[in-house]
């Protein structure tokens, strides 16, 4: 019953946006974009943080009008930066952190735009990459690990910001092609061609890139970073085909597939593979 109500509500919202588009396309698009880009989960309460985040040193980076929350666990001189995904926050790394700490790494995690304790209501990959650049310039990590949308952000980041200290990158359950994400959203709401065209026009004007070109596979083709891609065959959020696309474009990366772990990929064996990869030559 709950799923039926959700389905009907979703389609009702889509129908409302479609109807609006015939007399005010711009207003209809703004609503569609807000629903697409504004996370509805993943926020944290400063007064009641998860234990794993309370154990970290906290620092806020000011970037233009944004306040970006960072978490710092001190270790050796080798630094690892962690980027979480959509509607999540830095607490998602709770199971991986002990393995990284045991290996001696200094660990930096940041909350994405509109997530955790970071300011804002809008999430997009280019903005997340700006936050990533600020963290990388400050903390000088040699390695970066991204889950889901944090993964595609890492791929986009290394493509745009070439002068960085990164040596290795791990992508967990990461998508490749933005047009797949957008198409799924359009199908979910049943949006019409006017709204779809508006998304393409907006992306072109704001980010100077065509949606079809916003592809992790393309971003990684010229990457010199050593890479590890981990994806579950039964991931129902980001299909395994997306990982295969990333691997086909990234010649210096290995693809590891799992079964039964889903999109979260929280597993001690996977944690060990990640640490072994980072420690390896």
């Amino acid at each position: 019953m709950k799923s039926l109500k959700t389905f009907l509500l979703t389609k009702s919202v889509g129908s409302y946006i479609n109807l609006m588009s015939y007399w005010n396309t711009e207003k209809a698009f703004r609503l569609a974009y807000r629903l697409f880009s504004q996370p509805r989960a993943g926020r944290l309460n400063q007064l009641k943080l998860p234990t794993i985040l309370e154990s970290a040193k906290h620092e806020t980076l000011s970037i233009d009008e944004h306040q970006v929350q960072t978490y710092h666990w001190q270790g050796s001189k080798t630094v690892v930066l962690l980027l979480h995904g959509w509607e999540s926050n830095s607490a998602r790394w709770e199971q991986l952190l002990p393995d990284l700490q045991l290996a001696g790494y200094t660990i930096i995690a940041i909350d994405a735009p509109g997530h955790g304790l970071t300011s804002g209501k809008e999430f997009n990959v280019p903005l997340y990459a700006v936050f990533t650049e600020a963290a990388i310039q400050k903390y000088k990590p040699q390695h970066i690990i991204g889950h889901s949308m944090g993964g595609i952000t890492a791929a986009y980041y290394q493509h745009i910001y070439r002068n960085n200290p990164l040596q290795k990158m791990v992508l967990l359950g990461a998508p490749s092609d933005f047009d797949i994400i957008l198409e799924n959203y359009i199908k979910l709401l049943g949006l019409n061609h006017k709204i779809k065209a508006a998304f393409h026009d907006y992306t072109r004007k704001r980010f100077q890139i065509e949606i079809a070109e916003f592809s992790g596979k393309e971003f990684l083709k010229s990457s010199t970073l050593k890479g590890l891609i981990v994806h579950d065959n039964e991931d129902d959020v980001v299909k395994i085909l997306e990982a295969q696309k990333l691997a086909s474009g990234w010649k210096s990366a290995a693809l590891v597939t799992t079964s039964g772990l889903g999109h979260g990929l929280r597993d001690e064996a996977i944690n060990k593979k990640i640490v072994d990869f980072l420690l390896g030559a």
Side-chain angles (χ1 to χ4, degrees):
M1 182 61 73
K2 185 177 180 180
S3 60
L4 176 60
K5 288 182 179 179
T6 301
F7 173 80
L8 293 175
L9 177 60
T10 300
K11 294 303 181 183
S12 296
V13 171
S15 296
Y16 174 73
I17 293 172
N18 287 339
L19 184 61
M20 187 190 303
S21 72
Y22 286 102
W23 77 78
N24 193 329
T25 302
E26 182 179 349
K27 183 177 180 180
F29 169 72
R30 286 200 304 268
L31 175 56
Y33 180 76
R34 186 167 72 249
L35 293 173
F36 178 73
S37 65
Q38 184 171 317
R40 291 164 292 281
R43 277 293 188 188
L44 290 170
N45 184 340
Q46 178 75 65
L47 301 178
K48 195 176 180 181
L49 289 176
T51 303
I52 189 64
L53 298 184
E54 287 184 339
S55 69
K57 174 185 175 182
H58 296 184
E59 188 167 6
T60 303
L61 306 180
S62 296
I63 305 169
D64 298 325
E65 74 276 19
H66 299 286
Q67 300 299 308
V68 181
Q69 184 65 46
T70 72
Y71 307 88
H72 185 171
W73 294 267
Q74 186 62 43
S76 70
K77 292 182 179 179
T78 305
V79 183
V80 180
L81 177 63
L82 307 178
L83 304 179
H84 69 79
W86 172 253
E87 295 190 337
S88 184
N89 54 62
S90 293
R92 77 90 52 208
W93 301 110
E94 182 175 12
Q95 291 186 17
L96 177 60
L97 273 164
D99 293 272
L100 293 174
Q101 289 175 311
L102 188 62
Y105 290 112
T106 289
I107 305 159
I108 305 295
I110 66 175
D111 286 335
H115 293 76
L117 297 178
T118 291
S119 65
K121 294 183 178 180
E122 178 191 11
F123 174 94
N124 63 65
V125 168
L127 181 59
Y128 201 178
V130 170
F131 293 1
T132 300
E133 165 68 353
I136 285 178
Q137 289 305 314
K138 181 172 181 62
Y139 299 109
K140 310 297 183 186
Q142 291 79 39
H143 310 315
I144 187 168
I145 302 174
H147 175 251
S148 193
M149 294 302 291
I152 186 61
T153 297
Y156 175 81
Y157 169 81
Q158 61 81 46
H159 174 70
I160 298 296
Y161 299 88
R162 297 303 180 97
N163 296 318
N164 62 69
L166 295 177
Q167 299 170 11
K168 295 182 180 181
M169 181 162 61
V170 179
L171 306 183
L172 306 171
S176 171
D177 298 347
F178 181 74
D179 59 354
I180 298 295
I181 298 171
L182 178 60
E183 194 61 36
N184 287 341
Y185 173 71
I186 287 172
K187 286 181 179 178
L188 179 66
L189 269 67
L191 299 176
N192 63 26
H193 69 281
K194 285 178 173 286
I195 301 301
K196 182 176 181 178
F199 266 102
H200 281 263
D201 187 54
Y202 181 80
T203 303
R204 187 182 304 115
K205 289 179 178 177
R206 183 176 178 187
F207 304 115
Q208 290 79 53
I209 189 171
E210 298 291 337
I211 284 178
E213 297 171 357
F214 202 100
S215 165
K217 175 183 176 180
E218 297 302 317
F219 297 153
L220 292 166
K221 275 187 174 179
S222 60
S223 179
T224 58
L225 301 181
K226 292 183 178 179
L228 177 66
I229 303 167
V230 184
H231 212 103
D232 194 81
N233 287 305
E234 299 165 34
D235 189 335
D236 59 358
V237 177
V238 178
K239 301 302 182 184
I240 185 65
L241 178 60
E242 295 297 286
Q244 293 165 349
K245 291 176 186 175
L246 294 172
S248 70
W250 192 5
K251 301 307 180 185
S252 57
L255 172 61
V256 173
T257 59
T258 64
S259 294
L261 298 181
H263 188 58
L265 292 169
R266 293 180 174 89
D267 180 73
E268 186 55 40
I270 293 302
N271 295 346
K272 185 177 186 305
K273 284 184 181 294
I274 292 170
V275 172
D276 287 347
F277 166 71
L278 297 181
L279 291 173

